[in-house]
Amino acid sequence: MSDAGKTLWHGRFADGPADALMALSVSIGFDQRLAPQDIEGSRAHVTMLCAVGILTDHERDDVLVALDTVAAELETGTFEFAPTDEDIHTAVERRVTELAGVAGAKLHTGRSRNDQVATDLRLWTKHAATNVVRALHDFQSVLVRRAEEAGEFVALPGYTHLQHAQPVLLAHHLLAHVWALGRDIERWQRVRSAADVSPLGAGALAGSSLPLDPDHTASLLGFASRFENSLDAVSDRDFVAEAVFAAALTQVHLSRIGEEIVLWSSAEFGFVTLPDAYATGSSMLPQKKNPDVAELVRGKAGRIIGDLTGLLATLKGLPLAYNRDLQEDKEPLFDAVDTVIASVRALTGLFDAITFERDAMRIGAASPYLGATDLAEYLVEGGMPFRDAHAVVGDLVRRAIGGESSLIDLVAADARLGDAAVARLQPGAAVAHRTTPGGAGPAPLTAQVRAVRTLLADEEQWLAG
Ligand code: ARG
């Protein structure tokens, strides 16, 4: 067997691996994307091995030069994979050894693929979490800009049970999503912290007899700390589960936004017109303009929820420490992160250019029925218990819907209500009266915009740090 044809473990084996084993075992197709992290981890590892006297300066430099070559080959697509390159760790080590000879064969000293893959994945997850935060922050910025443009004057019907409830400002509605995305950002920041512990030095499961210095590699790799328990270090995938959960909940939020766009762009609502660049046509129906972006974002929530349940099922039965099942952690993680980022970017573009149909919103918001609660509250101001006021107004609404007269005429004619109460039903009145701090009217909006600006500034500071 040529060296390139040998497995990492060939010494103990008389026979090479069966093709069927390799077909099942191989992960290079998806863990290739850990190449930058794998090389970074190996750089830190050889640097540490030299610092503690296991490698000479010369050997370290030979390995570092070989790692630079491998990095360049991988980046430019000239890296030639061998059939025995089961995963990215095997591939990099094989090529480093081809390039650096004896020094290369020392690269894996005191290290196992178990602590290596955990290190790579933690580095990747930290980077990914920051990317998701940036994408979500950009989306929030667009929503805040659109909210400020809509300002104090654009109201639409607010819904509960998808039935007209009370009017709300469009700005207030858009900012509701910004707060949910803000919680997603906090979750991704916590994911980054969860991943920020170096497992390198844990070896296969128990550490090493060699004088390894895990603090040194942790600091070279920019980790906040190192593992305290080698068994935990190689078997812990909590940070992956937390990342995929953060992705699932983020995508659930995006899905709800998507659902709203599907509804609002329908002829029945007519609250938005989709930008051409973020809508699709029909291959058969010439008049169609379809909200595929919103639907795909909604549909992909199912996929990430699947990533999460699949991952948890993989983890639930594993004894300590590393088990090969853990190779199954990567695809759900990569898929969840890729899907969230693609979805956020598409929604960002869509909201950047969407047209809010203010007239359709205004007409919906102007229905006097949306002021029914204000009528009851008018009676409460006069001393009537709310439950009685609710019944009085409910009776008027029933009569108006029954066709006796318009709600406004019935209110005007009612001795307990009259003209002052009719004023509460005029278009714009109900939303103007939503004065509760954090409420849907213009008075509390200014404070909310200020709070949301502080949130965005905090996020920018985190991204810069
Ligand atoms: N490809 C493996 C994974 O993703 C790397 C670790 C292999 N370790 C082992 N003991 N076979 O988990």
Side-chain angles (χ1 to χ4, degrees):
M1 244 189 296
S2 73
D3 274 359
K6 280 181 184 163
T7 58
L8 293 173
W9 57 85
H10 66 273
R12 192 230 174 278
F13 286 75
D15 279 336
D19 289 347
L21 179 144
M22 284 306 279
L24 179 68
S25 172
V26 72
S27 57
I28 190 80
F30 54 84
D31 65 19
Q32 254 185 70
R33 65 193 286 180
L34 295 175
Q37 290 76 22
D38 201 69
I39 286 165
E40 199 188 342
S42 287
R43 282 196 184 111
H45 188 62
V46 284
T47 304
M48 179 278 294
L49 289 176
C50 175
V52 300
I54 297 171
L55 261 66
T56 65
D57 287 4
H58 194 75
E59 287 169 330
R60 175 202 57 202
D61 292 343
D62 283 354
V63 176
L64 289 175
V65 168
L67 283 167
D68 286 345
T69 305
V70 174
E73 288 176 354
L74 281 161
E75 230 168 80
T76 54
T78 53
F79 187 95
E80 279 180 40
F81 289 97
T84 45
D85 289 346
E86 183 182 48
D87 53 28
I88 189 63
H89 328 294
T90 317
V92 171
E93 186 186 335
R94 174 197 46 85
R95 184 71 184 127
V96 166
T97 310
E98 282 168 14
L99 291 163
V102 178
K106 294 189 175 185
L107 166 60
H108 211 52
T109 310
R111 189 175 68 171
S112 159
R113 280 185 295 162
N114 300 353
D115 58 343
Q116 186 177 2
V117 70
T119 304
D120 293 2
L121 205 57
R122 283 175 177 273
L123 289 170
W124 189 91
T125 303
K126 283 174 64 180
H127 188 66
T130 303
N131 287 342
V132 178
V133 168
R134 188 167 293 115
L136 288 169
H137 176 79
D138 290 346
F139 185 26
Q140 283 179 314
S141 304
V142 165
L143 289 172
V144 171
R145 176 173 62 73
R146 299 308 310 259
E148 286 187 311
E149 283 166 14
E152 300 186 0
F153 301 107
V154 186
L156 74 160
Y159 296 81
T160 64
H161 314 267
L162 201 58
Q163 308 285 324
H164 274 192
Q166 289 181 304
V168 298
L169 289 180
L170 174 60
H172 189 65
H173 188 108
L174 294 174
L175 292 180
H177 292 310
V178 173
W179 292 107
L181 297 170
R183 293 191 296 278
D184 290 326
I185 285 179
E186 280 177 32
R187 249 182 299 278
W188 282 102
Q189 290 168 338
R190 290 198 291 270
V191 166
R192 195 181 185 284
S193 301
D196 203 9
V197 182
S198 176
L200 194 55
L205 76 166
S208 171
S209 67
L210 298 166
L212 304 183
D213 183 355
D215 286 307
H216 188 186
T217 40
S219 100
L220 287 174
L221 291 169
F223 281 111
S225 62
R226 61 146 168 92
F227 65 95
E228 294 287 352
N229 181 305
S230 61
L231 290 171
D232 187 41
V234 291
S235 69
D236 171 22
R237 292 296 184 275
D238 291 359
F239 69 101
V240 181
E242 286 170 40
V244 180
F245 172 72
L249 192 48
T250 302
Q251 194 71 24
V252 164
H253 291 150
L254 302 179
S255 172
R256 294 177 67 173
I257 294 171
E259 167 65 7
E260 239 163 42
I261 292 302
V262 170
L263 289 171
W264 286 14
S265 61
S266 69
E268 285 69 18
F269 276 80
F271 286 176
V272 294
T273 301
L274 297 171
D276 280 1
Y278 288 91
T280 50
S282 159
S283 60
M284 180 175 170
L285 313 175
Q287 85 283 13
K288 290 299 292 294
K289 189 170 183 185
N290 291 328
D292 288 29
V293 167
E295 294 167 274
L296 283 165
V297 165
R298 188 177 59 185
K300 283 175 190 290
R303 172 187 178 115
I304 304 188
I305 293 165
D307 290 331
L308 179 61
T309 53
L311 176 69
L312 292 173
T314 297
L315 296 176
K316 72 173 270 296
L318 300 185
L320 289 175
Y322 178 83
N323 299 271
R324 191 61 188 279
D325 315 45
L326 289 175
Q327 181 166 295
E328 294 296 311
D329 60 358
K330 285 163 215 60
E331 285 163 293
L333 175 66
F334 295 160
D335 180 66
V337 168
D338 291 347
T339 303
V340 162
I341 288 182
S343 302
V344 174
R345 289 202 180 131
L347 281 182
T348 305
L350 184 147
F351 272 90
D352 187 49
I354 203 167
T355 305
F356 293 111
E357 299 298 347
R358 297 170 174 219
D359 288 341
M361 291 181 175
R362 190 178 308 120
I363 289 165
S367 159
Y369 291 105
L370 276 76
T373 313
D374 290 60
L375 279 187
E377 288 174 358
Y378 173 83
L379 292 170
V380 165
E381 284 164 26
M384 190 182 286
F386 176 74
R387 191 49 58 215
D388 299 338
H390 186 286
V392 167
V393 177
D395 180 61
L396 294 175
V397 167
R398 186 181 47 75
R399 285 159 56 198
I401 289 170
E404 184 182 322
S405 185
S406 76
L407 182 62
I408 292 196
D409 288 347
L410 289 172
V411 169
D414 191 299
R416 296 158 299 190
L417 291 158
D419 288 343
V422 167
R424 304 282 175 110
L425 301 183
Q426 293 311 311
V431 77
H433 280 96
R434 308 264 73 74
T435 50
T436 312
L445 182 66
T446 315
Q448 187 184 177
V449 169
R450 211 179 305 122
V452 105
R453 285 275 167 215
T454 304
L455 177 76
L456 264 59
D458 289 347
E459 292 167 3
E460 266 153 36
Q461 212 180 334
W462 186 89
L463 281 166

